[in-house]
């Protein structure tokens, strides 16, 4: 059974700092990995999706990397801002052939960026 | 373009009562999903509908039923609510479940309290 772990569970940093969020998964046979953002009381917003054949994806100040063989992904946020404060979730989709759809989510990292 | 909408936003039920959570998407997506999010458990898939006319069980389907009313709408029904069903429920949609078409878009959630 795929398990996804996110460390740390919570992180507080001063504005302007660069930071890294970690995600690990137990079954390396994944099809892709996604990072989501969730604001308090809101739904999830997809930030980045990395296919299993890719090593990284970038969007603005965000960079996500994937090391499938070691079962790890990192989300790097450059020059953090108070508006980045949210819970960040990673989710993996297994590559089991056919049309397996299922996403397995981690429990998230609660990020607070202090002005 | 509203994306994925959910009603109601918040609901309080007594044990044994029934209710239906409504979800609609205006992105012409084929696939729709229902998740629940509980503290310390992450998001877990309840049911999904790969396409109009089909529904399948996810990870935690017990106590729930679903209806894919048409391509736009996917409802989740609790026939006899239990306190264990207190949770935040998210609906999501995607173009499809097959490989290459997987990004899921989430609604804002329904907060359900069962007393």
């Amino acid at each position: 059974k795929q398990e996804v772990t996110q460390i740390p569970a919570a992180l507080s940093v001063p504005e302007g700092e660069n930071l890294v969020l970690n995600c690990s998964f137990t079954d390396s046979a994944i099809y892709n990995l996604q990072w989501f953002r969730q604001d308090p009381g809101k739904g999830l917003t997809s930030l980045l999706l990395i296919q299993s054949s890719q090593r990284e994806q970038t969007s603005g100040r965000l960079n996500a990397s994937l090391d499938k063989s070691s079962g790890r992904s990192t989300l790097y946020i450059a020059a953090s801002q108070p508006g980045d404060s949210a819970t960040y979730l990673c989710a993996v989709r297994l590559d089991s052939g056919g049309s397996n759809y299922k996403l397995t989510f981690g429990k998230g990292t609660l990020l607070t960026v202090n002005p | 373009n509203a994306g994925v909408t959910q009603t109601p936003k918040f609901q309080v039920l007594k044990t044994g009562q029934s209710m239906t959570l409504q979800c609609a998407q205006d992105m012409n997506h084929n696939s729709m999903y229902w998740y629940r999010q509980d503290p310390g458990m992450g998001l877990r898939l309840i049911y999904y509908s790969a396409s109009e006319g089909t529904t399948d069980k996810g990870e935690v389907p017990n106590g729930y039923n679903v209806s894919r009313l048409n391509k736009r709408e996917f409802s989740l029904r609790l026939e006899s609510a239990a306190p264990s069903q207190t949770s935040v429920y998210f609906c999501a949609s995607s173009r499809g479940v097959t490989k290459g078409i997987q990004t899921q878009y989430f609604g804002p959630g329904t907060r359900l309290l069962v007393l």
Side-chain angles (χ1 to χ4, degrees):
Chain A
K1 177 184 176 184
Q2 178 73 277
E3 294 184 0
V4 179
T5 303
Q6 291 188 244
I7 295 174
L11 181 64
S12 181
V13 300
E15 182 177 4
E17 191 163 297
N18 302 326
L19 59 99
V20 174
L21 307 180
N22 297 292
C23 173
S24 62
F25 44 94
T26 54
D27 187 341
S28 62
I30 66 168
Y31 182 64
N32 63 40
L33 182 145
Q34 281 185 267
W35 283 94
F36 291 88
R37 169 185 173 137
Q38 184 176 26
D39 293 291
K42 305 287 187 179
L44 280 68
T45 301
S46 181
L47 297 172
L48 292 164
L49 185 152
I50 312 176
Q51 301 285 12
S52 62
S53 58
Q54 297 175 318
R55 296 284 297 185
E56 65 179 329
Q57 282 284 337
T58 298
S59 176
R61 294 182 294 107
L62 305 179
N63 176 277
S65 68
L66 174 64
D67 184 342
K68 197 173 79 163
S69 61
S70 68
R72 294 181 180 182
S73 176
T74 61
L75 179 66
Y76 175 83
I77 302 178
S80 60
Q81 303 171 357
D84 295 330
S85 298
T87 297
Y88 291 81
L89 297 153
C90 75
V92 299
R93 174 172 167 158
L94 283 178
D95 186 9
S96 64
S99 60
N100 185 17
Y101 61 91
K102 185 177 181 295
L103 292 179
T104 302
F105 283 84
K107 296 177 183 178
T109 294
L110 175 61
L111 174 65
T112 302
V113 181
N114 301 301
Chain B
N1 190 337
V4 180
T5 57
Q6 293 182 235
T7 56
K9 292 183 179 179
F10 181 72
Q11 183 73 46
V12 179
L13 291 178
K14 294 181 180 179
T15 297
Q17 288 185 319
S18 62
M19 80 162 294
T20 299
L21 282 65
Q22 306 286 353
C23 174
Q25 52 89 12
D26 62 2
M27 296 175 281
N28 199 35
H29 284 170
N30 291 306
S31 303
M32 299 184 74
Y33 314 80
W34 276 106
Y35 292 89
R36 60 178 290 173
Q37 185 177 35
D38 303 291
M41 297 295 292
L43 273 88
R44 293 178 293 171
L45 184 68
I46 305 171
Y47 270 94
Y48 76 105
S49 171
S51 61
E52 186 178 356
T54 68
T55 60
D56 284 284
K57 295 178 180 179
E59 187 180 354
V60 288
N62 291 344
Y64 305 95
N65 285 299
V66 291
S67 295
R68 183 73 182 267
L69 304 172
N70 48 56
K71 191 172 185 179
R72 289 187 64 249
E73 299 172 290
F74 188 37
S75 63
L76 178 71
R77 182 161 178 84
L78 287 69
E79 291 291 351
S80 179
S84 61
Q85 294 178 305
T86 294
S87 187
V88 182
Y89 292 85
F90 289 100
C91 177
S93 70
S94 67
R95 285 176 59 196
V97 295
T98 54
K99 292 183 178 182
I101 312 173
Q102 334 88 348
T103 301
Q104 294 185 17
Y105 297 84
F106 283 75
T110 293
R111 282 144 190 82
L112 177 65
L113 174 62
V114 183
L115 301 175

